Amino acid sequence: MGIKTVAVYSLPDYRAMHVKLADEAVCIGPASPRESYLNIESILKVVKDTRAEAIHPGYGFLSENGAFVTMLEEFGVTFIGPSAQAITFMGDKLQSKRLAKAAGVNTIPGFDGIIQDADHCVEVSRQVGYPVMIKASAGGGGKGMRIAQNDCDAREGYRISTEEATTSFGDGRMLVEKFIEKPRHIEIQVLADKHGNVIHLNERECSIQRRNQKIIEEAPSVFLDEKTRTSMGEQAVSLCKQICYSSAGTVEFLVDQNRNFYFLEMNTRLQVEHAITECITGVDLVHQMIRIAKGHPLQLKQENVSIHGCAIESRVYAEDPFRDFGHPSVGRLYQYMEPTHLNKVRCDSGMEEGSEISLYYDPMICKLVCYGSTRKEAIETSIKAMDLFVIRGVAHNIPLLRDVLTEENFLKGSISTDFLKVTYPEGYKGKQVSHCEKMKLSAIAASFFAHNDLRSRMFLNARVGQVKGEKPSSWSTVVKHCDLEVPVRVMKVDNAFEVEINGKIFTIRGDINLALPVLELVVNNEQCVVQLLSKDEVGKFSLIYQGTTFNVFVMTEVAARLSKFMLEKPKKDTSKIIASPLPGVIRAISCKVGETVVVGQKVCIVDAMKMQTALVAVAAGKVKSIHVKEGDVVNEKDILVELE
């Protein structure tokens, strides 16, 4: 739009993408959000020093802070968002629920008041009836929320939720509502100007979640019929009019299996997933926010808003999906390639090659948005984009995201907020490939082995084609991976490899360049994408296939025979050691040296990326030593407590 911008940043973000893209950038403090991104005084100083005329708050931090907006108004600076009053009304879950009722919006049954302490939480939970949802009165984004099935859950949930809410929002007030089982999370996007005009831009389905945080969203929802969609939209508009709302906003609902819907909360800001609404409506929401903040009336009418096709957003996080569907991962992105060369793919990201994922902030890497004329096309494009997305340096959740997109119930649209727990009751274990797929993967790895062998015979600085000794044309190998161990014969035929496994022939064509991060091959006339993570001198190929990493061992027949005599390294007993499962900050220590702990007893809490993880003893014993104190920053696998 040609508007000059000033970026604010904390010390760890000095090389961040938004800092590089802005016309000016000013550091506002150290890593801790309270000393930087939540430091109103520092931000107001930047406003004054740079003579900024307006502030766009983004998605988090001060985007829903009424006091901040009030201060900006006193400064004569425009806040690109709603009024302080609207933010305050909707930022308090209890007050927002009362206002929603007054506007004729369906609400969830629950306690109409603030919880005083853990005992009060248990008392109220019993009155409402288990299961209940304990959640922060301020804030959102899945922080400060716990489901309680009994008194013990309620007491512990209140404690953890209060601490998370205080850390994230500076407000530890809690409320209790009835937990609606197997609901869908569906939200309505709204736009309102300062002249009383309000429209809705239909819905987004956000039911695929882990720890109450969305990871896959789609628009429109396959579940809603036109009658329900219209009713939800009308109630969202009614709420906006009730509070004199202006700007972009989102009214969130829980929807049961009978399409009954209940008000959850209103986010008085731009949503992370706003891009999918833009894709299906053609409306640029940020552009509209800026126009509204300037005082322009909406040019759009409700009848101008329609749905064109389908869009899916997959949130790519720096986290390990094999541990509780996503434990945060930190590190530097030493290789990073977004699949933006594909048609109908949009990547909203603040990352580039060399970017650092720190433990202080949300671990999102990219919002991968794919769209098409049908839901099927949007899903297929998403899968292809994930296969071509290169991320090296941190663990990431693409394996889980890709697997969800191929899961039968997701394809049918049969989903709810407990989708992950129902689909993966034992936790996510990676892509479960068929025997045929294992054979194909074996053939690909064997062809890589043969190609690597040919390349290793080339003389450096020699004329093209000169090799050491006779150039081989076939290889007899043994391939091991998963539960498979098969003899494999590889033959070089013209520009292809022919691989024979148990009498079945796989013909592999394509540019096999093991220096490339992504290899697009044709296997028996079918397109196949593989990423080569690494290879070593003993024939281990780490390959990403259908999103999941597989370690495939390719050996000569002689090496395979001799490998049976190699002893396995004995496993070390670590039951008496409590180590940090992730990088973070020690929030609390619940034991003392000399104290006896039992199996399952909590010994400490690690806080990382706004998420608290309680660590428990896996064996009984006396505490021998404690290597950390509250406030210490720890790395993954650091030893925190030792037992004897």
Side-chain angles (χ1 to χ4, degrees), residues 12-251:
D13 283 345
Y14 77 101
R15 295 178 60 196
M17 182 76 78
H18 76 284
V19 175
K20 295 180 181 180
L21 293 176
D23 297 279
E24 296 180 58
V26 181
C27 180
I28 52 173
S32 169
R34 290 190 174 280
E35 299 178 74
S36 53
Y37 294 116
L38 289 173
N39 189 331
I40 294 176
E41 186 178 329
S42 292
I43 293 172
L44 291 178
K45 184 177 184 303
V46 176
V47 170
K48 183 179 179 181
D49 292 346
T50 61
R51 298 180 183 178
E53 298 173 281
I55 282 186
H56 193 295
Y59 306 118
F61 294 119
L62 295 174
S63 62
E64 295 179 283
N65 188 306
F68 177 57
V69 179
T70 299
M71 291 183 187
L72 289 179
E73 291 171 353
E74 292 171 356
F75 261 61
V77 175
T78 300
F79 180 73
I80 303 176
S83 67
Q85 183 184 53
I87 291 174
T88 303
F89 282 164
M90 293 295 101
D92 186 308
K93 298 295 187 294
L94 184 59
Q95 189 173 20
S96 67
K97 188 174 179 179
R98 290 168 179 166
L99 288 166
K101 277 184 181 179
V105 181
N106 306 338
T107 58
I108 302 171
F111 176 68
D112 189 10
I114 297 296
I115 303 301
Q116 303 303 318
D117 52 35
D119 290 335
H120 188 215
C121 183
V122 171
E123 180 186 340
V124 169
S125 299
R126 290 175 180 174
Q127 292 171 359
V128 173
Y130 291 112
V132 298
M133 173 67 81
I134 302 164
K135 64 181 183 180
S137 181
K143 305 295 191 303
M145 296 175 67
R146 289 296 186 279
I147 298 167
Q149 301 284 352
N150 51 51
D151 291 355
C152 184
D153 288 351
R155 196 176 298 279
E156 183 69 2
Y158 174 82
R159 184 190 62 77
I160 295 177
S161 296
T162 302
E163 290 176 0
E164 285 185 355
T166 302
T167 301
S168 300
F169 318 120
D171 187 340
R173 292 176 302 150
M174 291 287 131
L175 55 86
V176 172
E177 292 179 337
K178 181 69 178 175
F179 176 66
I180 297 174
E181 300 193 68
K182 295 187 178 178
R184 287 173 177 260
H185 186 138
I186 300 176
E187 60 192 27
I188 301 292
Q189 176 69 56
V190 293
L191 271 178
D193 63 24
K194 297 179 180 179
H195 305 276
N197 302 305
V198 186
I199 62 171
H200 68 84
L201 284 77
N202 299 305
E203 80 281 0
R204 295 184 289 257
E205 169 97 46
C206 310
S207 298
I208 307 298
Q209 305 178 359
R210 54 101 178 90
R211 296 189 297 277
N212 299 310
Q213 288 183 300
K214 310 159 190 173
I215 58 171
I216 295 178
E217 303 99 344
E218 61 180 299
S221 168
V222 295
F223 184 66
L224 294 190
D225 53 29
E226 197 56 42
K227 179 182 176 183
T228 310
R229 176 178 292 118
T230 300
S231 183
M232 291 176 72
E234 288 174 348
Q235 289 197 17
V237 168
S238 176
L239 177 59
C240 289
K241 290 180 177 179
Q242 175 77 15
I243 61 172
C244 300
Y245 192 83
S246 64
S247 193
T250 300
V251 182

Side-chain angles (χ1 to χ4, degrees), residues 128 140 157 296 325 381 437 462 464 510 599 603:
V128 173
H296 296 302
F325 299 115
T381 302
E437 296 288 352
V464 176
V599 175
V603 294

Side-chain angles (χ1 to χ4, degrees), residues 459-560:
F459 282 110
L460 290 175
N461 303 317
R463 67 180 185 274
V464 176
Q466 183 177 353
V467 299
K468 299 176 182 177
E470 186 178 347
K471 187 177 180 180
S473 59
S474 65
W475 296 260
S476 295
T477 66
V478 174
V479 176
K480 296 180 182 180
H481 72 98
C482 300
D483 57 350
L484 194 70
E485 181 175 345
V486 290
V488 177
R489 182 171 175 78
V490 185
M491 292 156 284
K492 185 80 165 76
V493 180
D494 299 325
N495 292 322
F497 285 102
E498 286 191 357
V499 183
E500 181 182 354
I501 305 176
N502 293 340
K504 182 176 176 61
I505 301 295
F506 294 87
T507 303
I508 299 172
R509 304 179 187 278
D511 180 18
I512 301 181
N513 182 345
L514 302 187
L516 295 176
V518 179
L519 292 98
E520 299 184 64
L521 309 172
V522 178
V523 181
N524 288 355
N525 298 319
E526 290 183 1
Q527 296 291 327
C528 181
V529 177
V530 175
Q531 292 191 32
L532 177 61
L533 280 178
S534 64
K535 57 180 173 58
D536 63 20
E537 63 282 355
V538 297
K540 176 184 173 183
F541 291 84
S542 291
L543 305 174
I544 299 179
Y545 178 66
Q546 296 188 8
T548 296
T549 300
F550 294 90
N551 292 320
V552 185
F553 294 86
V554 185
M555 297 172 281
T556 63
E557 290 181 328
V558 173

